Amino acid sequence: MRILIATAGSRGDVAPYTGLGAALREAGHEVALAATESFAPLAAQAGLGFRPLPADHRAHGGVRGKRELLRAATAFMTHVGEGFADAVAEGADLLLLSTTTAPLGWHVTEATGIPSLGAYLQPTAPTGDFPPTVGGSRSLGRSGNRSVGRFALRMADRVFEPAVARLRERLELPALTAARMRRRQDEAGWPVLHGFSTALVPRPADWAPGLTVTGPWWPHVDADAQLPADLQDFLAAGPRPVLVGFGSMAAGEGERLGEIAVRALWRAGLRGVLQSGSAGLAADGDDVLTVGDVPHSLLFPRLAAVVHHAGAGTSAAALRAGVPSVTVPVAADQPFWAARLASVGAATAPVPFRSLTAERLVGALSEAVREPSYAKAATAAARHMATEDGTGAVVTAVERLAAV
């Protein structure tokens, strides 16, 4: 089959699909990735085709506050929607749609008849088991969680409303609201595969039958990939260090965050690796090294702990490595994943980004590194994750669909 995987967002919203796409390619399918232009190299490295979507997630890296985040998300998805039909028009027999592209892909499916499957990195369907991934991390009880989960979907539909209106006009379809299309998909039992571990989020019993949890999808890493030489030398030169990184978050705050990290590491008596990311963290010395993008799967198993923003991918990678986390959630689904890591005992209590100080980071780091229960819980989760074959489950689902 010609499979188009469509996703939009930051690196964490895109990278897991490179590993998924590579697995589908190895199974004999022709696979292309549709994402914003900056991720073309990731697709190429995984041997996937690439179709650009017209937007730039980096323009919103410094967004703060829920209202500002909603406005930025609406503008971003409107731009993505303007090129979505073009990406599909290049040809596809099946669409795999992410959380961020499904509300657009449904309309393309209606216009073209191309079948689609959901391939989500977050649980979005309302459930009594936990609150929605965006909007809060504190449980409100089963009925409260379901009510807030439905409200979260209505807010998401508002984000997509302008993009949907333009897309349906482009596709010469009659007007239909984003909310009505979502209800239509729910009533039809549209299948969604979720690429996260049941070690973090067990499948809710009150979910519809078509919603499944496969286990994580990992970013593609070449079999012969190695860490940079200076990083390998640093790792070999002393005790296991701590990684501090904020991924695609905190643009423009590198100097402040770097100072906090270096001061906290020194006071805690720990060596550190700073991952520059969008924030631009930078500091070098005998006990601190700054690096760019490096594969989590190669670096994380050699660390004492990971200080991170609690994105879905980084959270899963830390667990996979059996390494404790200190979470500093910034926005979107990050408070949710931070809470999940803490709930399984693999992370200290979350430190909200706006509350981050060297003093708080010292305390959390010391606790995560020196209290054995965190590493023990992370190791137990890693053993569980090793039994999950997330990409294999998707390949099976696709081939089952192809055989119909």
Side-chain angles (χ1 to χ4, degrees):
M1 300 178 75
R2 295 172 301 165
I3 300 173
L4 180 62
I5 303 175
T7 185
S10 66
R11 186 185 182 95
D13 298 304
V14 178
Y17 295 104
T18 62
L20 181 59
L24 288 164
R25 176 177 52 77
E26 290 165 7
H29 304 286
E30 180 183 324
V31 185
L33 179 70
T36 51
E37 185 70 55
S38 61
F39 297 113
L42 289 185
Q45 291 163 14
L48 309 179
F50 185 75
R51 302 180 191 178
L53 297 176
D56 187 353
H57 74 280
R58 294 168 297 188
H60 309 301
V63 167
R64 299 287 179 270
K66 292 182 180 179
R67 289 186 179 180
E68 189 180 354
L69 186 64
L70 283 173
R71 284 195 296 269
T74 300
F76 175 73
M77 293 316 308
T78 300
H79 288 143
V80 168
E82 289 170 355
F84 199 88
D86 293 331
V88 177
E90 294 185 38
D93 302 314
L94 174 67
L95 304 180
L96 291 185
L97 303 172
S98 72
T99 312
T100 52
T101 60
L104 300 173
W106 295 331
H107 305 274
V108 174
T109 292
E110 178 185 342
T112 63
I114 300 172
S116 64
L117 290 173
Y120 288 8
L121 297 175
Q122 299 85 10
T124 63
T127 174
D129 288 6
F130 46 78
T133 55
V134 176
S137 57
R138 183 173 300 175
S139 177
L140 301 174
R142 296 197 64 81
S143 61
N145 288 341
R146 278 191 287 265
S147 295
V148 177
R150 289 190 290 268
F151 175 76
L153 291 181
R154 289 196 295 272
M155 294 301 292
D157 290 335
R158 287 179 57 184
V159 166
F160 284 94
E161 202 69 67
V164 165
R166 293 188 188 184
L167 181 59
R168 290 188 70 85
E169 183 177 355
R170 160 81 184 277
L171 296 170
E172 299 182 349
L173 294 173
L176 183 72
T177 66
R180 179 58 191 138
M181 174 56 89
R182 184 183 297 279
R183 287 195 296 273
R184 182 185 292 181
Q185 295 300 101
D186 288 345
E187 290 163 3
W190 186 66
V192 180
L193 309 168
H194 294 83
F196 50 78
S197 176
T198 54
L200 268 183
V201 184
R203 183 190 182 280
D206 57 358
W207 268 9
L211 308 179
T212 59
V213 179
T214 67
W217 311 320
W218 303 109
H220 171 76
V221 178
D222 286 334
D224 58 352
Q226 293 186 352
L227 295 173
D230 60 341
L231 178 54
Q232 292 196 51
D233 291 343
F234 181 80
L235 292 168
R240 289 186 175 216
V242 170
L243 177 78
V244 181
F246 296 91
S248 300
M249 297 289 106
E253 299 199 43
E255 184 176 350
R256 180 180 75 87
L257 295 172
E259 290 177 357
I260 289 174
V262 170
R263 195 157 64 246
L265 289 165
W266 179 77
R267 289 179 57 184
L270 297 167
R271 304 168 73 229
V273 175
L274 304 189
Q275 190 163 31
S276 55
S278 294
L281 268 70
D284 288 297
D286 292 341
D287 292 319
V288 180
L289 178 72
T290 299
V291 299
D293 289 329
V294 295
H296 290 167
S297 59
L298 299 183
L299 175 59
F300 281 17
R302 302 181 67 178
L303 301 173
V306 184
V307 179
H308 59 90
H309 60 301
T314 310
S315 297
L319 271 192
R320 182 192 197 188
V323 174
S325 289
V326 172
T327 58
V328 186
V330 183
D333 59 339
Q334 295 157 21
F336 174 83
W337 294 111
R340 300 306 295 188
L341 283 170
S343 73
V344 301
T348 57
V351 180
F353 181 74
R354 283 298 166 195
S355 302
L356 180 64
T357 62
E359 290 71 26
R360 292 195 69 173
L361 187 54
V362 168
L365 272 174
S366 299
E367 184 181 352
V369 172
R370 298 189 170 99
E371 169 50 58
S373 65
Y374 294 105
K376 183 177 180 181
T379 300
R383 285 197 295 267
H384 177 99
M385 295 170 85
T387 68
E388 298 175 315
D389 182 9
T391 54
V394 177
V395 171
T396 299
V398 166
E399 293 181 343
R400 189 180 301 125
L401 185 66
V404 173

